[in-house]
Amino acid sequence: MASAGHGNGLINGVVSNKHTATISEVDEFCNALGGNRPIHSILIANNGMAAVKFIRSVRSWAYETFGTEKAILLVAMATPEDMRINAEHIRIADQFVEVPGGTNNNNYANVQLILEIAEITHVDAVWPGWGHASENPELPDALKAKGIVFLGPPAVSMGALGDKIGSSLIAQAANVPTLPWSGSHVKIPPESSLITIPDEIYRAACVYTTEEAIASCQVVGYPAMIKASWGGGGKGIRKVHNDDEVRALFKQVQGEVPGSPIFITKVASQSRHLEVQLICDQHQKIIEEGPITVAPPETVKELEQAARRLAISVNYVGAAIVEYLYSMETGEYYFLELNPRLQVEHPVTEWIAEINLPAAQVAVGMGIPLWQIPEIRRFYGMEHGGGNDAWRKTSVLATPFDFDKAQSTKSKGHCVAVRVTSEDPDDGFKPTGGKVQELSFKSKPNVWAYFSVKSGGGIHEFSDSQFAANIISFNTRHVFAFGESRALEIANMVLGLKEIQIRGEIRTNVDYTINLLNVNFYHDDKVMKFCKTG
């Protein structure tokens, strides 16, 4: 640990987390709403867009709640590479701590380092974001042992649902439909804990040899997928159509993710990818979901209930995304996986539901029940006080309500997200890096964007190629599936992308995406492939 910084200068020694304003008010907020652990300072164990979004979300919530955006101290981690490019998350944080550079196992994914920084800076909580260490069960366990709040799920819940095979077994036990797969025949005894699946049951859902894979594919039916449970980002997954392809590709899957358990699942043709935004407190569970237009309302309700059952089965706490495949032919849905963290595209849900999800994570971290949080109450049509001091009124007037029976309010519109990446479409979408001389974007009432870099900054060799997210909101109710909304949807997105001015050494997918949207302007089924609901 080299040094700690404040503002744009460096200081030696330990970072002080003593904030001059609103300490007593944060305490009052926590206690009044039924919490048990006020949070005055947070270490952000992430960088780039994730860190920028969290800082801005917490600052906005703090200003609305306490009258000052500085109510909670936000401490950033800073690698030499991020400092060299004048990374935005370092610039806007209250304080920063220098950490080793290089790949993320040296910094943002290094559990021991994160723990040491959290102790040195005396923060109350750690926010992991997405990627890096966000899905490593060792981090919440290590922080808990030191009395530091992890703004995410407990290690046991993360481990249980973060594994593709384990989560599918848990889904089956919780009566959540799954596609035919190599573990379809495996049953967890009713008396067993779903948090810890016995090894013999887990192994029964896996395939270990090429011949076992072939036999499983013949049972589930071709086409099928060979998948590594620890895979992701295109690694450890192959589609096969016959026995010969299994023989040719099974070893490739094993080699791409060494040591990972392997399973087989049937391919769901003519399916759409639907997601449910889930946030759970330490007391009860609720669902937050963006508008799904390709499935009927009764199916959407079933998706919510299934996600709730899944979370309850492992005592989940925090934010998560439950992913499903929905068959357009049969109307059936199947559990795909659960991401035990906040999703990159969570601003889509925020815009639709008008709930600040990072702020909700902080409140849950304080031990506050969801039924006490004003934004959550408003989402479910309950009295919430209103005004900047809504929490004071809520603490006095609010009563618990049953989330299973409560009906959420209609979303204020529809939202689509486009990822802006530093990739070169003319060179096979190869990631690019370098200086950014100019980056400008003008927000509009229906177009909003946030970036992890600014003019004079850049993208270094260890950066994620995604450095921005464009979020477009539509007040019409007929997005994606209905004709008159298609023109507005595409026009707003294209106009928003054209407002982005980027000049420098990097290449981006902006022009490519504009052309893609224009080419597919009148083809709803094709445009849907590039639009994502929250």
Side-chain angles (χ1 to χ4, degrees):
M1 207 69 57
S3 59
H6 185 281
N8 293 319
L10 292 176
I11 59 174
N12 293 321
V14 175
V15 177
S16 171
N17 71 342
K18 299 298 183 182
H19 218 282
T20 57
T22 71
I23 289 179
S24 60
E25 192 169 10
V26 172
D27 289 344
E28 182 186 356
F29 167 83
C30 176
N31 296 329
L33 296 184
N36 53 26
R37 174 71 185 272
I39 292 176
H40 298 285
S41 55
I42 302 171
L43 172 66
I44 303 167
N46 214 303
N47 64 341
M49 194 175 71
V52 171
K53 173 59 171 62
F54 182 77
I55 293 171
R56 290 181 175 169
S57 292
V58 172
R59 292 257 175 87
S60 174
W61 167 75
Y63 185 80
E64 294 171 358
T65 305
F66 306 110
T68 171
E69 71 278 13
K70 299 290 188 177
I72 294 180
L73 189 79
L74 301 176
V75 182
M77 296 170 62
T79 66
E81 294 86 2
D82 281 335
M83 294 181 69
R84 186 179 71 238
I85 65 169
N86 192 27
E88 181 72 357
H89 78 282
I90 300 173
R91 189 185 69 81
I92 65 176
D94 294 308
Q95 297 174 336
F96 65 84
V97 178
E98 292 184 53
V99 296
T103 55
N104 70 351
N105 60 297
N106 296 319
N107 39 71
Y108 303 108
N110 189 312
V111 170
Q112 187 58 39
L113 178 67
I114 293 170
L115 180 63
E116 290 176 6
I117 295 174
E119 289 188 283
I120 287 175
T121 55
H122 304 292
V123 294
D124 298 316
V126 171
W127 184 77
W130 49 84
H132 298 311
S134 63
E135 297 182 53
N136 187 338
E138 294 178 8
L139 182 57
D141 265 352
L143 293 171
K144 182 179 179 181
K146 297 295 183 179
I148 301 169
V149 175
F150 177 70
L151 297 180
V156 290
S157 301
M158 181 188 294
L161 291 176
D163 177 88
K164 294 180 176 65
I165 294 173
S167 63
S168 294
L169 290 171
I170 293 170
Q172 288 178 174
N175 296 316
V176 180
T178 61
L179 283 166
W181 68 296
S182 55
S184 292
H185 66 289
V186 180
K187 306 299 180 184
I188 300 177
E191 66 277 6
S192 298
S193 168
L194 296 183
I195 293 178
T196 305
I197 299 174
D199 289 343
E200 63 274 13
I201 292 177
Y202 187 95
R203 288 195 299 268
C206 304
V207 295
Y208 295 91
T209 67
T210 300
E211 293 308 313
E212 286 183 3
I214 291 173
S216 183
C217 286
Q218 291 174 348
V219 171
V220 304
Y222 289 108
M225 301 292 287
I226 307 172
K227 300 178 72 173
S229 186
W230 303 343
K235 291 184 178 181
I237 181 169
R238 290 292 187 280
K239 183 178 181 179
V240 291
H241 299 83
N242 51 57
D243 294 357
D244 289 339
E245 290 188 3
V246 177
R247 293 188 181 95
L249 298 175
F250 183 75
K251 294 295 184 182
Q252 289 186 22
V253 173
Q254 285 184 316
E256 287 181 357
V257 192
S260 172
I262 307 295
F263 66 105
I264 304 297
T265 183
K266 186 173 179 59
V267 171
S269 58
Q270 299 298 314
S271 296
R272 293 289 175 83
H273 185 192
L274 305 182
E275 298 183 349
V276 170
Q277 173 73 57
L278 182 72
I279 187 163
C280 311
D281 63 15
Q282 301 167 29
H283 312 277
Q284 53 192 320
K285 320 297 173 189
I286 74 157
I287 306 297
E288 297 173 1
E289 184 187 26
I292 293 177
T293 59
V294 298
E298 57 269 22
T299 300
V300 174
K301 190 66 176 179
E302 289 181 24
L303 296 177
E304 295 175 350
Q305 293 170 341
R308 185 181 296 112
R309 290 197 302 273
L310 194 62
I312 291 174
S313 70
V314 294
N315 300 318
Y316 194 91
V317 174
I321 284 285
V322 182
E323 301 185 12
Y324 300 94
L325 289 177
Y326 174 73
S327 172
M328 300 294 291
E329 294 180 343
T330 67
E332 297 177 319
Y333 66 91
Y334 310 97
F335 171 76
L336 184 61
E337 63 179 323
L338 181 145
N339 294 318
R341 53 173 169 74
L342 195 62
Q343 190 83 333
V344 177
E345 297 86 0
H346 74 273
V348 176
T349 301
E350 291 186 315
W351 200 312
I352 293 167
E354 297 181 277
I355 294 177
N356 185 326
L357 291 176
Q361 287 183 290
V362 175
V364 168
M366 292 186 186
I368 296 171
L370 291 170
W371 65 265
Q372 282 273 47
I373 301 175
E375 282 186 330
I376 302 296
R377 298 190 65 81
R378 181 178 64 241
F379 181 66
Y380 278 92
M382 303 294 170
E383 75 281 356
H384 57 276
N388 291 340
D389 59 349
W391 64 271
R392 296 184 186 278
K393 300 174 184 176
T394 298
S395 67
V396 175
L397 302 175
T399 56
F401 61 92
D402 189 338
F403 286 102
D404 286 318
K405 297 178 181 179
Q407 182 65 42
S408 61
T409 58
K410 287 186 177 181
S411 59
K412 72 176 219 179
H414 295 260
C415 190
V416 60
V418 167
R419 300 187 187 189
V420 177
T421 61
S422 57
E423 299 172 333
D424 187 351
D426 296 325
D427 190 16
F429 294 92
K430 181 179 179 181
T432 66
K435 290 288 186 181
V436 176
Q437 278 79 41
E438 178 188 3
L439 194 159
S440 64
F441 174 80
K442 296 179 180 179
S443 295
K444 296 180 179 179
N446 61 351
V447 182
W448 171 74
Y450 63 85
F451 297 85
S452 60
V453 297
K454 291 289 186 181
S455 298
I459 307 293
H460 60 69
E461 63 271 29
F462 300 111
S463 295
D464 189 315
S465 62
Q466 180 185 341
F467 66 95
N470 227 25
I471 308 299
I472 315 299
S473 176
F474 307 103
N475 291 322
T476 175
R477 300 281 187 240
H478 308 292
V479 173
F480 299 144
F482 301 98
E484 69 261 28
S485 65
R486 181 61 62 193
L488 178 60
E489 172 188 80
I490 300 300
N492 282 343
M493 179 64 81
V494 169
L495 289 174
L497 291 173
K498 286 185 176 181
E499 287 290 333
I500 300 175
Q501 300 294 324
I502 301 174
R503 184 171 58 86
E505 297 172 353
I506 67 170
R507 297 293 177 267
T508 76
N509 65 336
V510 172
D511 290 339
Y512 173 86
T513 305
I514 290 172
N515 291 334
L516 183 67
L517 292 171
N518 283 330
V519 167
N520 292 285
F521 189 90
Y522 294 107
H523 302 284
D524 292 359
D525 58 332
K526 293 181 180 179
V527 173
M528 276 297 299
K529 296 178 182 178
F530 305 101
C531 298
K532 190 175 186 69
T533 58

